Each structure stands twice: as structure tokens, then as C-alpha cells.
Amino acid sequence: LRYCALQRALGDMNPVTLTKRLKMLESEGIIGRRTEAMDKLSVSYYLEEKGKRMLPILRNMRDFAMQYL
């Protein structure tokens, strides 16, 4: 996902906070970062293998929250 798409999807999240969280996830090997030089610099993020392995756990947590909270 491109940075601006993440920012739109998260709504009220402060851009500085989003950038810090993305850097932390990248340093932990959960996401990867790609930069492309088009007309202007384009940054996108993707799930690394570690992040992909976390998806079933996160989905189960979401389902639990939807059912009980």
C-alpha cells in the first residue's frame, strides 16, 4: 500500500505517529518499504514473511473483538 492510502484508511492518525509506527514495524521485519522515483517520490509498504505469518492471529483477535466487545 502507498503511504497516502494508509493515511486515508487510518483517518485521524497523526502523520508523525503513522511514520513512527511504520518505521518500528519495518525495523521489526513485519513490513517492508519500497521507494520509487516517478514524477515525485512514491513510497509503498508491503508485508514481509513475518507479517504474513501474523495475519491469522490478527484476524482471530479481530473476530473475538467483534463477537465479545
Side-chain angles (χ1 to χ4, degrees):
L1 284 170
R2 292 185 55 188
Y3 179 85
C4 58
L6 283 170
Q7 198 171 22
R8 275 193 301 271
L10 295 170
D12 291 344
M13 183 176 274
N14 181 305
V16 173
T17 302
L18 175 58
T19 299
K20 285 180 182 179
R21 299 283 163 84
L22 290 170
K23 285 181 180 179
M24 187 265 312
L25 291 169
E26 186 180 5
S27 72
E28 293 293 328
I30 295 169
I31 64 171
R33 180 179 192 262
R34 264 188 226 110
T35 57
E36 299 174 26
M38 296 198 264
D39 292 339
K40 47 187 202 171
L41 187 63
S42 173
V43 177
S44 61
Y45 294 89
Y46 60 92
L47 284 176
E48 294 282 6
E49 189 58 36
K50 186 176 182 179
K52 289 177 185 176
R53 290 193 316 248
M54 292 174 69
L55 283 175
I57 297 164
L58 295 172
R59 286 185 181 124
N60 285 336
M61 290 173 66
R62 178 202 60 203
D63 294 345
F64 178 87
M66 299 283 283
Q67 185 173 356
Y68 295 105
L69 301 179

